[in-house]
């Protein structure tokens, strides 16, 4: 091999010659490519470790050495062939690049690859477990949403060195910018408009003005909450923030824009994005998702919503209350398909009074006709269509993982999300995943809960396991839908005859009767001993007054204990205490014990 194939050129080792045999960390040919090595502390220390390993091998000599370069000669035992091994210490990427080339051709023996594999194994064994590694950070968090911010703040509070990588210009994630916050602001503004419309007839011009005002309120709400998730808040904690995409180079190294950073442990919290199903013509139609609907400047006269889940229902009702003619197209047999069937049927009846609902309708195609959107569907063997000014697609979410190059880090996925164990560790145990990207439950409060757990596991070294049995969620329609644990259908399948079901209609609750909001229901599911396995409700503010059931469950108390709590009359949560009273009625007053008590009273009192 001649000297022109040696040395460093333009920040890289000189290219491998075509002949003789050569392996290199910078080779483009996969047959010749090998993995680079991470730094240990600095160049000097890293070089000293490699020289120690190499000097332990026979018939080696240092040909030349510079600050970032090391050239070694290996001489074979029998034929005295000489092989060149070069190391380049790249301080920018904090990686050791190397290549090994034979001066004569005996590539079939694979001598160079075997030699470098041996050196790499010995080198990596010196840093096993990261004990001697000088990483840039102890914790790197990818994603600045609820889960990521929880981890970053918690880890920094415990004194860890933390970097937070967020590809967008502001922190807060999907919840703040496209989800929870803007949708709840829109729902509140729409409620105000709806209440006004119940008192007086509104013209199209008035609806247009109120729509503009509602969108302004949405923008202001997002800006106000953004202050709580400001970059300054986290930099003041000592968190370094990188505004760029992150891509794995290996399981400890990330490419962040034009630079690389290393971390002892990594937490992936990249969230999710709206699913756009492969409907015919969808790419040619100007459709909305939750990421674009809050940017509307003008009120559409009509809107078709594909999807009758949480997002679709909340936005459909809000837009209807702002004077938009809304049609919901749902493929399932009912809207709110994840809810208890009895609760969902009440929701469908109420939603049907404000919107048009098509269930069991499969969308075949969408198209643009004279500036409007036409949705063609199949329902019960017949074809149909509906037209509107705008189309909203709300059929689900998908994990944001496609740009991470997870395969380079050896991170396994399952069903389109990152596969994690009960401790929220990925297939690489020093890498964790929280929030929507792990495919668990797509809610902000779940991401926050998982973030807290990962702080204790990744930072403090614990092995806490996640549980979703006590996680509630709320659909913020009017009336609200509260969901905790199993539905009645699921509970019946699991518990059979051991299941007890307690119901109170809102029409039996004085407060709701006084407010003329009697269309609603409280339903609590327990075992025969009172363990809460499910709780559901639909009614005004149900997300607030039903949570005491979740609190009782979270404290591992029995449902009947709610009956002993004094509720101020006529608070809305009296409907909950009334439901708890039913437990005693069934277990005590309708039992043999009650018969004995009745005999005692009649006989002796």
């Amino acid at each position: 091999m001649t000297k022109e194939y040696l040395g460093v050129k333009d920040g890289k080792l000189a290219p491998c010659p075509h002949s003789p045999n050569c392996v290199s960390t910078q080779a483009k040919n996969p047959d010749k490519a090998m993995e680079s090595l991470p730094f240990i502390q600095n160049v000097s220390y890293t070089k000293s470790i490699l020289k120690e390993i190499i000097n332990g091998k026979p018939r080696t000599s240092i040909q030349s050495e510079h600050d970032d370069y090391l050239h070694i000669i290996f001489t074979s035992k029998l034929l005295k062939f000489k092989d060149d091994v070069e190391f380049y210490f790249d301080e920018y990427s904090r990686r050791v690049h190397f290549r090994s080339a034979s001066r004569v051709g005996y590539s079939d023996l694979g001598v160079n690859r075997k030699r470098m594999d041996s050196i790499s194994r010995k080198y990596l064994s010196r840093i096993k477990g990261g004990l001697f590694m000088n990483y840039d950070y102890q914790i790197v968090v990818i994603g600045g949403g609820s889960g990521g911010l929880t981890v970053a703040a918690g880890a920094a509070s415990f004194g860890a060195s933390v970097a937070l990588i967020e590809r967008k210009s502001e922190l807060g994630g999907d919840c703040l910018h496209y989800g929870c916050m803007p949708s709840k602001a829109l729902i509140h503004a729409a409620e105000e408009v709806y209440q006004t419309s119940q008192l007086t007839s509104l013209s199209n011009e008035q609806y247009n003005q109120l729509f503009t005002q509602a969108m302004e309120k949405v923008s202001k709400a997002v800006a106000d909450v953004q202050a709580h998730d400001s970059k300054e808040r986290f930099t003041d904690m000592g968190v370094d923030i990188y505004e760029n995409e992150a891509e794995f180079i290996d399981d400890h190294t990330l490419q962040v824009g034009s630079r690389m950073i290393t971390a002892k442990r990594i937490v992936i919290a990249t969230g999710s994005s709206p699913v756009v199903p492969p409907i015919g013509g969808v790419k040619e139609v100007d459709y909305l998702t939750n990421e674009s609907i809050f940017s509307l400047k003008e009120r559409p006269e009509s809107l078709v919503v594909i999807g009758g889940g949480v997002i679709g229902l909340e936005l459909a009702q809000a837009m209807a209350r702002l004077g938009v003619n809304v049609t919901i197209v749902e493929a399932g047999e009912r809207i709110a398909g994840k809810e208890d069937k009895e609760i969902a049927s009440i929701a469908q009846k109420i939603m049907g009074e404000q919107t048009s609902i098509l269930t069991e309708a499969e969308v075949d195609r969408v198209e643009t006709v004279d500036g409007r959107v036409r949705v063609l569907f199949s329902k019960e063997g017949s074809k149909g269509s509906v037209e509107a000014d705008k189309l909203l697609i709300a059929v689900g979410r998908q994990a944001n993982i496609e740009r991470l190059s997870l395969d380079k880090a050896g991170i396994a996925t399952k069903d389109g999300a990152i596969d994690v164990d009960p401790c929220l560790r990925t297939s690489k145990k020093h890498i964790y995943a929280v929030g929507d990207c792990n495919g668990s439950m797509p809610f902000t409060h779940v991401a926050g809960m998982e973030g807290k757990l990962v702080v204790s596991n990744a930072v403090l070294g614990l092995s806490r396991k996640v549980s979703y049995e006590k996680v509630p969620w709320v659909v913020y329609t009017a009336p609200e839908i509260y969901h905790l644990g199993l539905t009645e259908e699921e509970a019946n399948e699991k518990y059979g005859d051991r299941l007890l079901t307690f119901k109170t209609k809102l029409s039996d609750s004085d407060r709701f009767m006084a407010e003329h909001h009697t269309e609603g229901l409280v339903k609590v599911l327990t075992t025969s001993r009172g363990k809460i396995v499910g709780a559901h409700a639909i009614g005004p503010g149900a997300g607030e007054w039903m949570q005491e059931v979740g609190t009782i469950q979270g404290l591992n108390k029995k449902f009947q204990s709610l009956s002993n709590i004094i509720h101020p009359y006529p608070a809305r949560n009296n409907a909950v205490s009334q439901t708890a009273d039913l437990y005693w009625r069934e277990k005590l007053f309708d039992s043999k014990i009650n018969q004995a008590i009745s005999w005692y009273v009649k006989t002796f009192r």
Side-chain angles (χ1 to χ4, degrees):
M1 191 169 80
T2 61
K3 290 183 178 180
E4 66 182 276
Y5 294 120
L6 299 175
V8 178
K9 292 179 173 57
D10 299 325
K12 292 185 178 181
L13 290 168
C16 270
H18 295 292
S19 177
N21 180 35
C22 174
V23 293
S24 170
T25 58
Q26 297 178 330
K28 295 182 179 180
N29 185 337
D31 293 333
K32 295 187 175 185
M34 297 192 71
E35 287 290 329
S36 60
L37 300 172
F39 269 30
I40 308 176
Q41 297 184 9
N42 51 41
V43 171
S44 177
Y45 188 66
T46 301
K47 190 185 296 182
S48 69
I49 296 299
L50 278 169
K51 287 169 66 176
E52 180 183 329
I53 293 171
I54 291 167
N55 287 334
K57 292 183 174 293
R59 297 174 300 282
T60 62
S61 62
I62 297 177
Q63 186 73 6
S64 61
E65 180 178 358
H66 306 291
D67 290 341
D68 60 357
Y69 178 74
L70 184 63
H71 180 195
I72 308 294
I73 299 294
F74 281 81
T75 304
S76 65
K77 183 177 181 179
L78 296 178
L79 301 177
K80 305 302 180 183
F81 291 147
K82 294 186 181 298
D83 297 340
D84 294 281
V85 177
E86 299 174 277
F87 297 90
Y88 170 49
F89 303 86
D90 185 358
E91 287 195 271
Y92 180 77
S93 66
R94 297 184 58 78
R95 305 292 295 185
V96 182
H97 292 281
F98 58 81
R99 73 173 192 169
S100 178
S102 302
R103 294 187 178 182
V104 295
Y106 49 93
S107 58
D108 58 316
L109 298 179
V111 171
N112 292 287
R113 183 174 290 279
K114 290 180 181 179
R115 177 190 295 121
M116 299 316 299
D117 278 338
S118 174
I119 293 173
S120 294
R121 282 195 301 271
K122 289 184 178 180
Y123 178 85
L124 292 172
S125 70
R126 296 289 296 269
I127 58 174
K128 186 177 181 181
L131 296 177
F132 303 103
M133 283 291 288
N134 183 27
Y135 296 108
D136 296 324
Y137 298 96
Q138 290 173 288
I139 301 286
V140 167
V141 181
I142 309 173
S146 174
L149 295 182
T150 300
V151 175
S157 298
F158 282 117
S161 58
V162 181
L164 175 63
I165 305 169
E166 170 54 51
R167 62 189 176 94
K168 296 182 179 178
S169 59
E170 298 291 348
L171 303 180
D174 192 80
C175 172
L176 173 57
H177 299 286
Y178 312 116
C180 318
M181 286 302 101
S183 66
K184 303 312 164 282
L186 182 66
I187 287 168
H188 180 70
E191 169 70 17
E192 293 177 333
V193 173
Y194 178 73
Q195 293 302 329
T196 301
S197 71
Q198 298 305 292
L199 299 174
T200 182
S201 179
L202 297 175
S203 66
N204 280 336
E205 184 177 347
Q206 288 173 314
Y207 269 123
N208 290 338
Q209 292 174 348
L210 291 169
F211 184 88
T212 300
Q213 292 172 10
M215 288 304 181
E216 290 172 351
K217 290 178 180 179
V218 169
S219 298
K220 185 179 185 303
V222 172
D224 289 345
V225 178
Q226 180 70 72
H228 295 164
D229 292 337
S230 67
K231 291 181 178 179
E232 290 73 21
R233 177 191 170 205
F234 287 87
T235 54
D236 287 347
M237 294 180 186
V239 177
D240 290 341
I241 297 177
Y242 296 84
E243 184 184 324
N244 222 312
E245 296 272 3
E247 180 184 355
F248 281 96
I249 301 301
D250 58 39
D251 62 334
H252 283 286
T253 309
L254 292 163
Q255 181 80 47
V256 184
S258 60
R259 66 168 297 171
M260 294 186 186
I261 60 174
T262 58
K264 188 172 185 179
R265 293 180 179 87
I266 298 171
V267 180
I268 306 171
T270 48
S272 64
S273 300
V275 169
V276 179
I279 301 170
V282 71
K283 293 182 179 180
E284 286 73 48
V285 171
D286 184 18
Y287 59 84
L288 299 168
T289 68
N290 70 292
E291 293 186 351
S292 55
I293 192 170
F294 302 110
S295 299
L296 284 176
K297 302 301 181 185
E298 297 180 354
R299 179 182 68 94
E301 289 289 335
S302 53
L303 173 72
V304 173
V305 180
I306 299 178
V310 176
I311 296 173
L313 293 180
E314 289 183 355
L315 295 178
Q317 187 183 58
M319 296 299 282
R321 291 182 159 203
L322 290 169
V324 180
N325 293 318
V326 178
T327 300
I328 300 171
V329 181
E330 165 59 40
E333 65 179 14
R334 65 181 187 273
I335 62 171
K338 292 186 177 181
E339 305 305 321
D340 182 273
K341 184 178 291 187
E342 190 172 9
I343 298 292
S345 65
I346 298 172
Q348 184 156 320
K349 178 178 181 296
I350 296 172
M351 286 289 294
E353 295 170 359
Q354 301 172 47
T355 66
S356 298
I357 300 174
L358 297 170
T359 56
E360 298 183 276
E362 290 283 350
V363 176
D364 301 319
R365 182 173 178 79
V366 294
E367 57 191 23
T368 301
V369 180
D370 297 329
R372 290 162 58 84
V373 179
R374 177 183 293 164
V375 177
L376 297 94
F377 59 87
S378 301
K379 177 178 169 64
E380 298 175 349
S382 300
K383 299 291 184 179
S385 67
V386 58
E387 291 187 15
D389 294 332
K390 294 290 184 180
L391 168 65
L392 171 65
I393 296 178
V395 296
R397 311 284 297 173
Q398 59 187 358
N400 292 331
I401 59 175
E402 67 282 351
R403 299 180 182 178
L404 292 173
S405 296
L406 297 175
D407 56 316
K408 293 182 180 179
I411 299 172
T413 61
K414 183 179 180 181
D415 298 327
I418 298 173
D419 192 20
V420 293
D421 66 11
C423 296
L424 298 177
R425 299 172 300 192
T426 69
S427 51
K428 291 291 184 178
K429 299 309 178 186
H430 61 282
I431 301 177
Y432 299 76
V434 301
D436 291 9
C437 68
N438 69 23
S440 57
M441 298 177 74
F443 299 105
T444 298
H445 51 288
V446 173
M449 176 267 287
E450 292 177 343
K452 292 176 183 178
L453 186 142
V454 162
V455 169
S456 62
N457 290 352
V459 180
L460 303 181
L462 304 180
S463 297
R464 292 178 58 205
K465 295 182 179 181
V466 70
S467 172
Y468 302 102
E469 291 183 357
K470 300 176 181 179
V471 175
W473 73 70
V474 177
V475 184
Y476 291 95
T477 49
E480 292 179 355
I481 301 171
Y482 179 89
H483 182 126
L484 173 67
L486 302 176
T487 65
E488 185 173 6
E489 298 76 35
E490 294 166 340
N492 266 319
E493 186 174 335
K494 183 173 182 178
Y495 292 98
D497 294 340
R498 293 178 295 147
L499 181 70
L500 299 179
T501 302
F502 305 100
K503 302 179 189 179
T504 297
K505 295 179 180 180
L506 297 193
S507 58
D508 293 328
S509 173
D510 294 354
R511 175 63 178 272
F512 292 104
M513 292 172 66
E515 295 177 344
H516 304 287
H517 291 303
T518 55
E519 281 191 292
L521 178 70
V522 176
K523 177 189 289 189
V524 180
L525 312 168
T526 77
T527 64
S528 57
R529 292 183 176 272
K531 177 185 175 181
I532 299 169
V533 297
H536 306 272
I538 180 168
E544 309 291 338
W545 46 262
M546 272 296 287
Q547 184 50 30
E548 68 175 312
V549 181
T551 301
I552 291 294
Q553 188 208 42
L555 295 173
N556 296 317
K557 302 292 185 181
K558 301 295 178 62
F559 177 52
Q560 56 267 36
S561 62
L562 266 173
S563 185
N564 299 322
I565 298 174
I566 300 174
H567 294 75
Y569 181 84
R572 289 175 172 176
N573 60 3
N574 271 276
V576 178
S577 63
Q578 285 177 245
T579 311
D581 291 342
L582 295 176
Y583 178 91
W584 292 115
R585 183 171 299 172
E586 179 162 331
K587 299 295 287 186
L588 181 61
F589 301 142
D590 295 336
S591 67
K592 293 182 179 180
I593 295 176
N594 188 51
Q595 296 175 14
I597 293 174
S598 296
W599 173 83
Y600 170 80
V601 171
K602 290 177 181 179
T603 306
F604 298 105
R605 306 303 293 175

